[in-house]
Amino acid sequence: MSRAEPQTKKSKMASSLEQLKQITTIVADTGDFEAMKTYKPTDATTNPSLILSAAGMDQYQHLIDKAIKHGQKAGSTVDEKVSEAADMLFVLFGCEILKLVPGRVSTEIDARLSFNKEASIAKALKLIALYEEQGIQRDRVLIKLASTWEGIQAASVLEKEHNIHCNLTLLFSFAQAVACAEAGVTLISPFVGRILDWYVANTDQKTFEPVADPGVVSVTKIYNYYKKFGYKTVVMGASFRNVGEIMALAGCDLLTISPKLLGDLEQSTEPVKRYLDEELAKATKLEKIAMDEATFRWMLNEDQMSTDKLSDGIRKFAADGRKLETMLRGLIQAAK
């Protein structure tokens, strides 16, 4: 009997994913509903690339059909119909996701509006109105905007004047993070893996230990700064390349993780150690930065990695947005 006890204990050992959930809110970075059912995250994030991928799956055809019908009814010209259908498709995916997660869904503003504050505000208000028409309250939705100066200022207006919570994405630099905190946004999504990608491609060092990973170092500094100076904005690490990066950010407010890496964490029983801690953050030697538009633009300009990755990310999301519109345009024209 005593021999069987260690085996029983081993079989009941919590997975790395379950351990991580005890200290960090886990978010599914996917548009795939089945992955959400499997890994039971608290929240979910979407973007044009994820929606484009999911839209090609047969099981989501009914959502596309519904979006097309909405576009045909709401728009006058073909371009208007496509735009209306695209907005509705994002909202319909979000509504389905909210049936599976207890928390919030992030829905992204068209990347082509990244440098247009007023148009970003208008699009956000429209998306929230569509959600509310579907019976979803705005506190369950995060509006995702690119962390350009204009995107951050749009988020400030949405948060303060409309009580719309925002998730600032494509965040690669400390300047972007400070500007977001000063603007009072709800949440930021610093991109860990894409920072690593840049360093691997542009420096002589090709491998990094998890705690020395440039993306991990960046997010750790941002987290510590926020906690030290009492900002309410929370940090959600995103865009991971491996489990090591995730484990090295254990304790972060939230982590949004792809289904593949969620699966790897589920299969692992490696002990999870807390690396990010609010009390330890308050003891760090960080100086507070006074941020305005000129300072933001200069600091971003001086950071080649962040400048490269921000512009590249906007271009890629915009390209996938156009691909999604092309698909919807074909369906709308075929339905005439």
Side-chain angles (χ1 to χ4, degrees):
M1 195 72 177
S2 59
R3 288 183 179 181
E5 287 177 4
Q7 189 173 358
T8 303
K9 288 180 182 178
K10 186 176 180 180
S11 66
K12 290 183 179 179
M13 188 179 294
S15 69
S16 297
L17 180 59
E18 288 305 315
Q19 294 176 60
L20 193 59
K21 284 181 178 180
Q22 301 304 310
I23 55 174
T24 291
T25 298
I26 300 302
V27 181
D29 195 16
T30 180
D32 183 3
F33 306 151
E34 296 306 316
M36 294 173 208
K37 292 176 186 175
T38 301
Y39 300 113
K40 299 178 176 57
T42 300
D43 295 350
T45 53
T46 64
N47 61 46
S49 306
L50 294 172
I51 296 294
L52 180 66
S53 175
M57 302 179 188
D58 290 342
Q59 61 264 44
Y60 306 131
Q61 189 61 47
H62 67 290
L63 298 180
I64 296 169
D65 292 342
K66 191 173 179 179
I68 294 294
K69 287 178 182 176
H70 171 81
Q72 289 173 321
K73 183 179 179 182
S76 300
T77 66
V78 172
D79 285 349
E80 286 177 1
K81 291 177 181 180
V82 170
S83 178
E84 294 285 353
D87 288 344
M88 180 56 81
L89 186 60
F90 273 83
V91 169
L92 291 174
F93 264 94
C95 290
E96 292 299 314
I97 287 167
L98 289 173
K99 294 176 184 177
L100 302 172
V101 301
R104 302 171 296 191
V105 66
S106 290
T107 296
E108 191 146 347
I109 295 292
D110 188 336
R112 289 166 288 184
L113 303 179
S114 296
F115 303 101
N116 190 327
K117 173 186 168 183
E118 297 305 325
S120 293
I121 292 169
K123 180 66 80 173
L125 291 172
K126 182 178 179 184
L127 290 171
I128 290 296
L130 287 173
Y131 268 111
E132 291 181 337
E133 286 173 14
Q134 298 292 320
I136 301 297
Q137 295 182 337
R138 63 183 60 193
D139 63 357
R140 295 202 69 198
V141 181
L142 287 167
I143 293 293
K144 281 177 82 176
L145 301 115
S147 299
T148 57
W149 180 257
E150 295 79 6
I152 295 167
Q153 299 316 304
S156 180
V157 172
L158 290 166
E159 295 269 5
K160 293 170 185 173
E161 297 182 17
H162 301 283
N163 195 30
I164 292 173
H165 302 303
C166 297
N167 170 356
L168 273 290
T169 188
L170 292 175
L171 194 147
F172 304 96
S173 74
F174 191 61
Q176 289 172 295
V178 173
C180 286
E182 291 290 336
V185 309
T186 297
L187 180 149
I188 62 166
S189 297
F191 278 29
V192 179
R194 293 197 197 185
I195 293 175
L196 173 64
D197 294 345
W198 190 91
Y199 278 91
V200 169
N202 293 280
T203 69
D204 292 333
Q205 188 166 348
K206 304 305 178 186
T207 59
F208 297 84
E209 288 299 312
V211 293
D213 181 301
V216 171
V217 171
S218 176
V219 174
T220 300
K221 181 181 179 181
I222 291 166
Y223 175 92
N224 287 341
Y225 185 86
Y226 279 18
K227 303 311 177 191
K228 181 177 178 67
F229 295 109
Y231 289 108
K232 292 181 181 179
T233 303
V234 295
V235 181
M236 180 171 72
S239 173
F240 293 104
R241 295 294 176 258
N242 54 67
V243 166
E245 289 178 327
I246 296 168
M247 299 284 268
L249 288 173
C252 192
D253 298 313
L254 305 94
L255 298 173
T256 184
I257 305 171
S258 68
K260 180 188 180 302
L261 293 177
L262 286 171
D264 291 344
L265 288 164
E266 182 69 50
Q267 294 301 314
S268 169
T269 54
E270 182 182 343
V272 174
K273 172 187 172 184
R274 180 189 284 272
Y275 280 93
L276 274 60
D277 181 271
E278 187 168 350
E279 292 306 313
L280 293 177
K282 290 175 182 176
T284 55
K285 295 179 180 179
L286 290 168
E287 296 291 327
K288 195 164 188 180
I289 295 174
M291 184 62 64
D292 57 17
E293 182 177 356
T295 303
F296 174 89
R297 294 195 186 282
W298 179 251
M299 287 179 70
L300 191 60
N301 183 73
E302 289 295 280
D303 186 337
Q304 184 182 348
M305 177 277 294
S306 298
T307 301
D308 287 354
K309 297 309 289 184
L310 175 59
S311 59
D312 180 60
I314 290 171
R315 284 194 300 273
K316 285 179 177 174
F317 279 158
D320 282 340
R322 286 192 292 270
K323 287 177 187 176
L324 188 62
E325 287 180 351
T326 298
M327 180 195 77
L328 293 172
R329 185 180 301 275
L331 293 171
I332 286 169
Q333 290 175 331
K336 282 183 177 180

